[in-house]
Amino acid sequence: MHNAAFKASGLNWCYLAYEVRPEHLREALEGARRMQFVGLNLTVPHKLLAMEMMAGLDDSAKQWGAVNTVAFEGLASDGSWKPLRDFAEEAPGEVRSKGYNTDAQGLTAALKEDLGLYLEHSRVMLLGAGGAGRVAALQLAEAGVADLFLVNRTQDKAEALAAEIQARYPKVHVMTTYPHREVDLVLNATSLGMKPGDALPMDLGRFPLTDTKAVYDMIYRPAQTPLMACAIESGARAVNGLGMLLHQGARAFEIWTGRPAPLEVMKAALREEVYGH
Ligand code: ATR
């Protein structure tokens, strides 16, 4: 999606994927800095490790304790630090890294665009309390959810996450049970639904999907998970997690280029790559 976006924006840039072992992350980042990359993205398990390898951190990275986007800045002759994209003729005196996190905006932007859902004062049931579940819970709390129901196979993890949310966001009403009445959203942040034959990530006997307005599944492959199929059968709206991937990427594009992301171009490229159409 980034290469399509660069092309559509007339930028002679390219986006490449590198597989880096965690123990080599520091050297890889140093190499990118020395080669004057404009920026890069990091994925699991590098997002947490990179926190202490950045010269500077944007508030977004500080808030979530993870870096998924790095932008390099150069020292200009006037003594100011500028994004590397701004060095066309002049060579930067020194280059430093700055870490951002665009995942949070990815989830809220996707919920707004794909479901027309605004989280403020809403009631949400979140399935999963692993790495993805924790970040989703923090994002929901930050966005002003009123009631948050955390459901996880391992109850202890749901309790620990509830305690963390409660400490950081005392206004949010957090429970580690199934909701007893209707919710606005059921959000799946477990890995259940990725593999054929996976069970549903929730017990429909304890909460029927007729009692939610919408289901958001963070999984995007397959395009329709069994949970989404059940939701649609129950008359709820259901969308997959492709929008999250799109929007975190669009925000990264904006950080690197200083231009608005060509969203439609990026969405089409992403769909082509992931679904082949
Ligand atoms: P990620 O970083 O993708 O969130 P993770 O931290 O391993 O990965 O979390 C996976 C999530 O999927 C957890 O909520 C996990 O439940 P547990 O905390 O009980 O392990 C959930 N999950 C994975 N396989 C599951 C299964 N077979 N049944 C129920 N939940 C499952």
Side-chain angles (χ1 to χ4, degrees), residues 157-170:
K157 279 163 74 179
E159 305 281 356
L161 180 55
E164 184 185 357
I165 303 286
Q166 210 63 93
R168 284 176 70 171
Y169 299 92

Side-chain angles (χ1 to χ4, degrees), residues 1-9 246 261-271:
M1 66 175 153
H2 283 297
N3 285 322
F6 295 149
K7 200 169 166 205
S9 305
L246 169 69
L263 264 183
E264 289 309 315
V265 170
M266 295 178 84
K267 193 191 279 182
L270 196 54
R271 290 195 67 85

